[in-house]
Amino acid sequence: MVDEEATGGADGRKKWTNSKEGWLFKQSTLWRRWKKLYVVVSTAQMKYGATPDRTDKSISLLGCEIRTSPSSASREFTFSVKAVKSSQIHTFAAESEEEYQLWLQTLYVARLADDRTQGTDSSEACVLQ
């Protein structure tokens, strides 16, 4: 589900949001298998789990590194998120190019929104590649 403001306002201009929720595929670290999980992004945090009611795992977006189309990915429309204080890289895949772009925009805006509230410069804190 996309926040209504992300798709356009009454005047037809695109507006960005720092929150989004919906289904993505996540690649397991050990076996590299893909599992469909429910993901919720809000300011500075990405939560995920088996169902909308069970998003019990989270990734901090503070200082995160976001990479598009990781070379290790075996699916289309993939991106990875790596938190600053972790060596683990979380790889996700959307079902379409449109969803892929919306997730990337939301992640980037969620990170920028946190920078505005904290008074920091996001250009140094989060890398979108």
Side-chain angles (χ1 to χ4, degrees):
M1 174 174 204
V2 156
D3 187 323
E4 188 177 328
E5 291 183 6
T7 56
D11 60 3
R13 290 188 304 178
K14 193 166 254 190
K15 295 180 182 178
W16 307 113
T17 181
N18 67 352
S19 63
K20 178 173 173 45
E21 56 185 88
W23 296 95
L24 285 173
F25 291 93
K26 183 178 185 303
Q27 189 176 45
S28 67
T29 306
L30 184 60
W31 298 104
R32 302 283 184 215
R33 293 185 181 148
W34 292 95
K35 184 174 183 179
K36 195 169 189 177
L37 298 173
Y38 198 78
V39 179
V40 178
V41 173
S42 60
T43 304
Q45 192 167 40
M46 182 179 198
K47 294 182 179 184
Y48 60 94
T51 66
D53 297 331
R54 288 192 49 213
T55 55
D56 50 352
K57 297 186 179 184
S58 66
I59 304 167
S60 173
L61 298 177
L62 292 173
C64 71
E65 182 177 316
I66 301 168
R67 291 184 184 258
T68 59
S69 302
S71 59
S72 63
S74 59
R75 292 181 82 107
E76 286 188 297
F77 317 123
T78 60
F79 61 91
S80 64
V81 178
K82 181 184 175 295
V84 168
K85 295 181 181 180
S86 173
S87 61
Q88 187 174 6
I89 297 172
H90 304 273
T91 303
F92 295 90
E95 293 190 63
S96 69
E97 176 71 25
E98 181 181 6
E99 278 294 307
Y100 170 74
Q101 292 297 330
L102 285 171
W103 280 105
L104 287 175
Q105 290 167 358
T106 302
L107 286 167
Y108 190 63
V109 172
R111 180 59 185 109
L112 291 176
D114 184 67
D115 290 339
R116 285 193 295 261
T117 62
Q118 300 298 320
T120 61
D121 178 8
S122 65
S123 63
E124 305 255 340
C126 186
V127 178
L128 177 63
Q129 298 182 349

